[in-house]
């Protein structure tokens, strides 16, 4: 779940926040999104799925400012051990992710999670 300060500001229509993160050692990234369930960016979900990303998690909640939030996680299987991404897959997939979110005006910065985040 992404930490949102409020639900008044959106990065793009229907999107509160996006996090592109990988568990250590950091080659297989997931797409983590906090979205507006009343105005979802359905076209973005469809594009992610067309690119091979599968929705692996979905949970709604009410933010402390009373706004509704839908948390979504997307993962794409790779060809490495345990369906991880090989280095060349990682580079190609990050280019695709940046381009996809760039088209809706969101600049993403992939990051590697801390051990505490990844395994909590």
């Amino acid at each position: 779940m992404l930490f949102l300060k409020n639900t008044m500001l959106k990065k793009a229509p229907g999107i509160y926040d996006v996090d592109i993160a990988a568990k250590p050692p950091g080659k297989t990234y997931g797409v983590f999104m906090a979205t507006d369930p009343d105005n979802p960016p359905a076209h973005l979900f469809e594009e992610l799925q067309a690119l091979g990303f599968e929705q692996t998690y979905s949970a709604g909640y009410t933010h402390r400012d009373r706004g509704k939030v839908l948390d979504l996680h997307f993962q794409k299987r790779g060809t490495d051990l345990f369906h991880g991404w090989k280095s060349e897959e990682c580079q190609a997939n990050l280019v695709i992710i940046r381009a996809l979110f760039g088209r809706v005006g969101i600049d993403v910065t992939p990051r590697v999670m801390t051990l505490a985040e990844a395994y909590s």
Side-chain angles (χ1 to χ4, degrees), residues 72-92:
L72 299 169
H73 300 180
F74 293 86
Q75 291 288 136
K76 182 176 181 179
R77 286 179 168 225
T79 59
D80 207 356
L81 189 62
F82 304 113
H83 303 290
W85 296 352
K86 293 182 178 177
S87 294
E88 57 275 2
E89 289 173 308
C90 179
Q91 292 173 358

Side-chain angles (χ1 to χ4, degrees), residues 44-107:
L44 196 65
F45 302 155
E46 292 168 5
E47 288 185 58
L48 276 169
Q49 290 173 340
L51 293 169
F53 286 84
E54 299 174 12
Q55 183 179 319
T56 59
Y57 176 82
S58 174
Y61 67 93
T62 301
H63 191 272
R64 69 175 175 258
D65 67 9
R66 302 284 185 234
K68 291 191 251 177
V69 179
L70 178 62
D71 261 349
L72 299 169
H73 300 180
F74 293 86
Q75 291 288 136
K76 182 176 181 179
R77 286 179 168 225
T79 59
D80 207 356
L81 189 62
F82 304 113
H83 303 290
W85 296 352
K86 293 182 178 177
S87 294
E88 57 275 2
E89 289 173 308
C90 179
Q91 292 173 358
N93 286 329
L94 289 178
V95 167
I96 290 168
I97 290 169
R98 284 187 177 111
L100 175 65
F101 286 101
R103 286 196 298 271
V104 295
I106 298 174
D107 183 30

Side-chain angles (χ1 to χ4, degrees), residues 1-15:
M1 177 165 66
L2 295 172
F3 175 76
L4 296 178
K5 291 183 181 182
N6 66 59
T7 59
M8 302 302 158
L9 299 174
K10 294 180 183 168
K11 291 193 173 191
I15 302 173

Side-chain angles (χ1 to χ4, degrees), residues 12-59:
I15 302 173
Y16 296 119
D17 204 1
V18 175
D19 187 22
I20 309 302
K23 291 181 179 180
K27 287 193 322 186
T28 306
Y29 289 81
V31 177
F32 303 88
M33 297 174 56
T35 65
D36 179 352
D38 294 330
N39 183 26
H43 66 285
L44 196 65
F45 302 155
E46 292 168 5
E47 288 185 58
L48 276 169
Q49 290 173 340
L51 293 169
F53 286 84
E54 299 174 12
Q55 183 179 319
T56 59
Y57 176 82
S58 174

